[in-house]
């Protein structure tokens, strides 16, 4: 979905607390991106998701899931069984966001060679003064 000129102007103008800007920050955060992409495959239990993502603390994953749930992107399904079972999945809105984030991740991976060349050229130019 294209961004309207009005929305782009608000973002550029630095309207720090605009609701869509906060959602953008949640979706594109370090762990938000990984959670959304991982949940595209299937629902996960908390511990499974933590292992699948790797190197995320329990606290950070909990905060990320709560934030994405509050934004309506993640669904938390707590089953009243013993031991308790909680599954996390994407809502329709979350799936839409996750597909956009995954497309950016795929693009990044496919263009990494060009990024590395640009970095080398930049670093070389900087080192020459």
């Amino acid at each position: 979905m294209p961004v309207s000129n009005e929305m782009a102007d608000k973002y550029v103008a630095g309207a720090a607390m605009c609701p869509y800007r906060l959602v953008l920050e949640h979706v594109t955060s370090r762990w938000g991106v990984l959670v959304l992409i991982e949940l595209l495959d299937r629902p996960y239990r908390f511990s499974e998701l933590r292992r699948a993502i790797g190197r995320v603390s329990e606290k950070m994953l909990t905060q990320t899931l709560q934030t994405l749930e509050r934004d309506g992107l993640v669904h938390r399904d707590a089953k009243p069984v013993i031991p308790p079972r909680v599954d996390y999945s994407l809502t329709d809105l979350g799936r839409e966001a996750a597909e956009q984030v995954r497309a950016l991740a795929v693009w990044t991976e496919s263009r990494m060679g060009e990024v590395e060349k640009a970095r080398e050229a930049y670093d070389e130019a900087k080192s020459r003064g």
Side-chain angles (χ1 to χ4, degrees):
M1 175 167 79
V3 176
S4 71
N5 286 339
E6 182 181 327
M7 285 176 65
D9 290 345
K10 283 182 187 175
Y11 188 80
V12 171
M17 297 309 291
C18 286
Y20 67 87
R21 189 169 178 176
L22 289 175
V23 173
L24 182 62
E25 288 175 17
H26 300 160
V27 168
T28 61
S29 71
R30 176 180 184 180
W31 302 116
V33 166
L34 298 176
V35 165
L36 290 171
I37 291 173
E38 202 61 48
L39 288 176
L40 268 171
D41 292 336
R42 64 178 178 86
Y44 277 87
R45 294 179 74 174
F46 183 89
S47 57
E48 291 178 313
L49 185 58
R50 186 169 178 216
R51 279 192 302 274
I53 292 172
R55 299 182 64 190
V56 61
S57 70
E58 188 172 320
K59 178 183 177 183
M60 213 47 244
L61 182 56
T62 297
Q63 288 176 351
T64 300
L65 287 166
Q66 287 173 344
T67 298
L68 295 174
E69 182 183 5
R70 183 171 184 258
D71 288 343
L73 305 177
V74 168
H75 174 72
R76 182 180 184 274
D77 182 22
K79 297 185 179 15
V81 295
I82 299 191
R85 180 183 172 110
V86 179
D87 292 310
Y88 294 91
S89 60
L90 293 174
T91 63
D92 290 341
L93 190 62
R95 180 162 298 284
E96 188 178 333
E99 287 168 355
Q100 298 297 317
V101 169
R102 181 173 57 186
L104 181 58
V106 168
W107 176 86
T108 303
E109 184 178 8
S110 72
R111 297 297 192 191
M112 210 48 224
E114 292 167 69
V115 169
E116 288 170 352
K117 285 179 188 172
R119 287 176 175 173
E120 288 169 11
Y122 177 89
D123 292 345
E124 187 178 317
K126 283 296 240 186
S127 68
R128 282 184 275 153

